[in-house]
Amino acid sequence: MATSSRSTDQQLAVELAADAGRLLVELRTSGPTRRELGDLGDRRANTLILDRLAAERPGDSVLSEESRDDPSRVDADRVWIIDPVDGTREYGLGDRPDWAVHVALWERSGDPARSRLTAAAVSLPALGVVLGVDDDEVYAAPVGNSGVDGGGLLPPRSGSRPRIVLSATRPPAFAEAVARAVGGDLVPLGSAGAKVAAVVRGEADAYIHAGGQYQWDSAAPAGVALARGFVALRVDGSPLEYNVFDTYLPDLVVCRADLADAVLAAIASV
C-alpha cells in the first residue's frame, strides 16, 4: 500500500534520528577525549543529517543548531528543525543516558494558524530507542555498546507523587511553586529532549523550563509530545511557534493534560 508524504516524512525523521544516534554512540566509545567529543559529535551528526536531507528532500529548508541560519527559511513551506546532539555536556561525560538527537519537520498551511510540526523524532541513543509521533510505536535503534546498562532515564518510582523534571543548572524561579501545586517532586535531568522523553515514557509527569532555549531544543520533543496527547506550550500558556525569524524560544512546559491547569496557574502566581 502506498504511504502518504506525511508518513514518509515521519519515517525519515525516525531514520535520521536513529542513524545519527548510532554514529554518536560509536564515536563516544571510539576514544576521543571528553574535550573533543562534544564538538566532534555535533559536527558529524549534523553532517550526516544534512547530507541525508539534501539527498532525500532537496527542496526543503533546514534550521539546525550546528549550521548558519538562512533567514529565507521563514518563507519556505517545509523546514526541518534539527538538534544533532541535544545535551552536548551529558553526551561528553560518557556514562550519561540523558542526551538526545532531535529531528522535526515544520510545514506551512494556507491558514497560518494551522502551520505546524508534522513529523518528529527524538532519539535516546544511549538507551537504544527513538520516540516518534505514534504512541504505540517505539522504534528500536541498535547502537551497540552505549556505555549505559539498560534501564531508563530515571530510576523507578518509589511512590505516587508526580515527578517534575527540570534543569539542574538553570531551574526556573517558579519550580517550587509548581511542585507545591501538584504535590510533586523536582527531579534534575539532562537535555531538553531527555526531559520531554521522560514525560512521554511515563517516567516523569511534567517538564518546566525558563532558562533560555532555541527552536531546535524543543521542536522535535514538542512534536512527539503533542502527537501523543501531552500538553506542550509556553510558560504563559501561549502556543509554541516554529520557523519564525527569531530562533530564540526561551521557555517550555510539557506535561500530562490533567496537570496543565495547575502547572500554569502556579507559574502565573510567581
Side-chain angles (χ1 to χ4, degrees):
M1 182 174 63
T3 57
S4 68
S5 59
R6 182 180 185 280
S7 63
T8 301
D9 288 332
Q10 176 58 32
Q11 179 161 2
L12 178 59
V14 168
E15 291 174 354
L16 293 175
D19 289 348
R22 186 177 298 107
L23 176 154
L24 289 163
V25 168
E26 291 171 351
L27 178 63
R28 200 186 198 193
T29 57
S30 67
T33 66
R34 182 179 300 179
R35 183 183 298 273
E36 298 169 330
L37 187 56
D39 288 343
L40 192 58
D42 275 329
R43 290 197 305 272
R44 291 193 180 178
N46 192 54
T47 297
L48 181 153
I49 294 170
L50 295 188
D51 286 352
R52 287 279 301 280
L53 287 173
E56 301 194 35
R57 299 292 188 276
D60 293 356
S61 294
V62 179
L63 171 63
S64 171
E65 180 180 17
E66 300 304 321
S67 299
R68 184 184 297 275
D69 184 21
D70 180 353
S72 68
R73 65 171 168 77
V74 298
D75 297 317
D77 292 333
R78 291 166 51 91
V79 181
W80 293 87
I81 305 177
I82 309 298
D83 192 344
V85 185
D86 178 58
T88 305
R89 174 182 173 275
E90 288 77 15
Y91 171 67
L93 290 175
D95 59 355
R96 295 277 296 264
D98 49 345
W99 54 280
V101 178
H102 299 175
V103 179
L105 173 64
W106 175 94
E107 291 192 78
R108 187 181 308 281
S109 170
D111 177 359
R114 295 177 65 85
S115 299
R116 62 189 181 92
L117 300 168
T118 57
V122 175
S123 174
L124 303 172
L127 301 184
V129 297
V130 183
L131 303 180
V133 301
D134 299 318
D135 59 9
D136 60 344
E137 292 183 78
V138 177
Y139 299 83
V143 291
N145 179 14
S146 67
V148 176
D149 184 18
L153 291 160
L154 293 171
R157 294 177 185 267
S158 59
S160 60
R161 289 169 61 86
R163 283 171 158 177
I164 304 147
V165 288
L166 74 173
S167 170
T169 57
R170 293 180 294 174
F174 49 73
E176 293 290 347
V178 171
R180 288 193 300 270
V182 302
D185 299 314
L186 300 173
V187 182
L189 197 63
S191 76
K195 295 185 188 81
V196 175
V199 176
V200 169
R201 301 177 85 214
E203 297 178 56
D205 304 280
Y207 165 37
I208 53 176
H209 183 81
Q213 287 184 349
Y214 294 83
Q215 292 182 43
W216 47 76
D217 290 305
S218 64
V224 170
L226 289 166
R228 292 178 177 227
F230 293 88
V231 170
L233 33 65
R234 300 285 302 274
V235 297
D236 63 0
S238 61
L240 298 160
E241 294 186 347
Y242 295 100
N243 196 38
V244 295
F245 179 78
D246 188 355
T247 60
Y248 190 56
L249 188 55
D251 52 69
L252 178 66
V253 171
V254 176
C255 65
R256 293 179 0 216
D258 61 302
L259 294 180
D261 288 346
V263 169
L264 293 175
I267 293 171
S269 72
V270 175

